[in-house]
Amino acid sequence: MKIAIILGTRPEIIKMSPIIRELGRSYIDYFILHTGQHYSYEMDRVFFEQLELPEPKYNLGVGSGSHGEQTGKMLIGIERVLKQESPSLVLVQGDTNTVLAGALTAAKLGIKIGHVEAGLRSYDRKMPEEINRVLVDHCSDYLFAPTVKSKQILVSEGISENKIFVTGNTIVDAVYQNLGLANRKADIINRLNLERNSYFLATVHRQENVDNKIRFTNILEGLQEVSKIFGYPVFLVIHPRAKKQMEVFGLKSTEINIIEPIDYLNFLYLEANAKLVLTDSGGVQEEACILRVPCVTLRYNTERPETLEVGANILAGTNPDEIVEKTEYMLSKKREWINPFGDGKAGIRIVHILKSELIEALKYAEVVS
Ligand code: UD1
Ligand code: UDP
């Protein structure tokens, strides 16, 4: 029994880390195939080093490009590796182009697929991630749904209940496994000369936001306004895509503090001690909810509706007035919601399920051959 973990971007490395750790503990044969979708030190290597993850056995070095170019190169590279390694299962996490390419290649080669974080839907087909999620869910054999709600979505789309396992989200495992360490080791607050609970943390990188000049300009204006009105500095941790687009559009902002991407422990610490988070990131919406930090989402929809339902998050879109109004509302709320994403044992559960399912499948294959 051999498992191929296919990953390629920052959130996949972070959210796969609890599974990788558990696979190591379980003495299951596995290897990591990195597509190279993310490659800058602070988007990639820093997480392998800090989370003490084993080196990828393969790195395809695909890099950036248009969707077709990037996905096409991945398909070619992944197929070569999977043919050589013949794993029993390919495991992917989330909704990036890497995830689509990993699952599609495995499906064509008749290799079983496990999808971690299955059943998320924004119902916005203009998002590249929505297309990826739907396609990957529909060709997967084991769907690890983080919540009952995501399971219900999969069932409503006609996916057999036998394939779906509600496990919780591995981001809870990652937060629990690293928060203590972050509290001991993070030095970002001192470096930025900040006081706990007296700054806003922001991130923005969605294609539909930062590749659109009007939306991106509005978001920056909204961030400036909330800083002015509520009297807290805003720290925007800039994703490389957003940085590039600011240059392309000639956008500047002197009133927002823009900082380069940071390692996980420092980011977690910055997040846990923020007064409020403003973001369009999926993972950051979840982490803010887990850490009981109010979140204002700079989007018109979310595939994480659980965060809205428990009262941890609100959709503001990109209009500056709405961003101010929703920030005011979230600041007035008590931080007493319950984390809807599980108990921090999703990684253990996923590995346990795979072990028993795959052993059964192998036994059956022997009987029928
Ligand atoms: C990708 C995912 C998105 C995910 C995000 C996590 C897709 C379609 N998008 O978006 O779902 O939320 O990762 O962060 O898969 N760049 C660098 N260094 C890097 C990586 C990217 O400078 O290491 C820059 C390049 O200019 C590149 C741009 O960022 O063109 C976008 O990178 P890309 O991987 O295409 O998409 P992301 O926006 O990172
Ligand atoms: N993150 C980080 N450093 C940063 C910004 C984010 O470690 O400078 C982490 C964050 O804690 C979360 C993940 O990256 O776990 C979110 O990734 P991103 O926003 O790029 O992608 P998404 O979750 O939207 O797919």
Side-chain angles (χ1 to χ4, degrees):
M1 173 169 125
K2 177 157 67 175
I3 294 178
I5 299 228
I6 301 185
L7 48 72
T9 69
R10 171 169 72 186
E12 293 158 67
I13 302 167
I14 294 169
K15 286 178 166 175
M16 273 295 194
S17 68
I19 298 177
I20 294 172
R21 270 204 201 117
E22 194 51 32
L23 283 172
R25 271 198 287 265
S26 309
Y27 301 102
I28 293 175
D29 188 14
Y30 77 95
F31 66 92
I32 301 173
L33 191 175
H34 193 316
T35 59
Q37 179 171 348
H38 284 179
Y39 45 85
S40 304
Y41 175 79
E42 66 278 10
M43 297 298 287
D44 172 26
R45 270 227 67 76
V46 66
F47 302 108
F48 280 89
E49 290 172 6
Q50 191 168 62
L51 301 172
E52 296 179 1
L53 299 174
E55 285 299 306
K57 185 167 180 187
Y58 303 92
N59 190 321
L60 303 178
V62 163
S64 308
S66 66
H67 285 278
E69 190 189 351
Q70 191 179 54
T71 314
K73 281 187 192 160
M74 288 177 193
L75 291 172
I76 296 167
I78 296 170
E79 186 178 64
R80 199 171 6 93
V81 173
L82 293 185
K83 276 186 167 167
Q84 197 178 312
E85 292 275 356
S86 300
S88 335
L89 176 114
V90 158
L91 200 58
V92 288
Q93 188 287 328
D95 54 21
T96 66
N97 286 346
T98 291
V99 177
L100 175 65
L104 196 54
T105 314
K108 299 281 177 176
L109 292 174
I111 299 170
K112 295 243 178 284
I113 303 159
H115 186 205
V116 179
E117 210 177 66
L120 273 63
R121 296 289 181 268
S122 67
Y123 299 106
D124 176 2
R125 289 279 169 111
K126 285 198 215 85
M127 286 180 78
E129 292 86 359
E130 183 74 357
I131 305 293
N132 294 344
R133 283 177 204 125
V134 172
L135 295 178
V136 174
D137 280 340
H138 283 262
C139 68
S140 289
D141 301 278
Y142 303 102
L143 294 100
F144 300 110
T147 65
V148 172
K149 190 177 205 70
S150 38
K151 175 181 175 173
Q152 285 163 349
I153 289 174
L154 295 168
V155 172
S156 75
E157 290 179 9
I159 294 175
S160 160
E161 273 201 59
N162 300 337
K163 295 181 177 179
I164 309 168
F165 304 86
V166 179
T167 58
N169 195 310
T170 58
I171 196 64
V172 184
D173 311 24
V175 169
Y176 290 178
Q177 286 168 14
N178 293 291
L179 192 58
L181 210 54
N183 286 333
R184 288 197 295 281
K185 289 202 165 172
D187 59 356
I188 189 83
I189 293 227
N190 294 339
R191 271 197 275 145
L192 297 177
N193 206 11
L194 284 173
E195 248 179 73
R196 291 166 66 177
N197 209 26
S198 21
Y199 59 89
F200 292 151
L201 174 66
T203 81
V204 57
H205 75 280
R206 296 250 86 87
Q207 179 179 301
E208 61 273 21
N209 279 343
V210 301
D211 288 14
N212 177 319
K213 189 175 180 183
I214 297 172
R215 278 198 181 185
F216 200 1
T217 308
N218 280 342
I219 289 174
L220 293 176
E221 202 184 311
L223 294 179
Q224 276 172 208
E225 283 298 303
V226 294
S227 182
K228 242 191 284 166
I229 292 172
F230 302 103
Y232 295 109
V234 170
F235 284 83
L236 172 63
V237 187
I238 195 95
H239 187 285
R241 180 185 205 111
K243 187 176 180 180
K244 184 177 77 179
Q245 289 306 114
M246 279 187 83
E247 282 159 19
V248 169
F249 296 143
L251 302 177
K252 289 199 175 59
S253 177
T254 46
E255 283 146 84
I256 305 168
N257 305 285
I258 297 182
I259 58 174
E260 292 298 318
I262 47 182
D263 61 86
Y264 191 51
L265 295 183
N266 272 308
F267 190 81
L268 210 50
Y269 192 75
L270 207 52
E271 219 173 358
N273 291 291
K275 183 88 187 160
L276 177 132
V277 165
L278 299 113
T279 191
D280 64 6
S281 157
V284 175
Q285 285 175 66
E286 291 160 351
E287 284 169 342
C289 179
I290 296 159
L291 294 164
R292 289 226 176 100
V293 176
C295 182
V296 173
T297 291
L298 307 167
R299 290 174 48 187
Y300 295 92
N301 53 53
T302 180
E303 55 293 313
R304 274 94 178 167
E306 296 87 349
T307 60
L308 306 178
E309 281 156 19
V310 299
N313 186 14
I314 197 161
L315 296 177
T318 56
N319 178 293
D321 294 339
E322 286 285 315
I323 295 173
V324 171
E325 193 188 304
K326 300 289 159 59
T327 298
E328 184 169 24
Y329 175 71
M330 287 310 291
L331 283 174
S332 73
K333 291 198 72 166
K334 286 218 174 90
R335 303 173 171 209
E336 54 187 15
W337 55 82
I338 290 165
N339 156 30
F341 293 115
D343 58 1
K345 293 184 185 147
I348 295 177
R349 241 167 242 130
I350 290 167
V351 171
H352 184 80
I353 293 163
L354 284 177
K355 217 163 145 184
S356 45
E357 291 280 330
L358 288 177
I359 288 171
E360 274 310 306
L362 288 175
K363 274 194 214 150
Y364 180 69
E366 262 174 41
V367 172
V368 293
S369 64

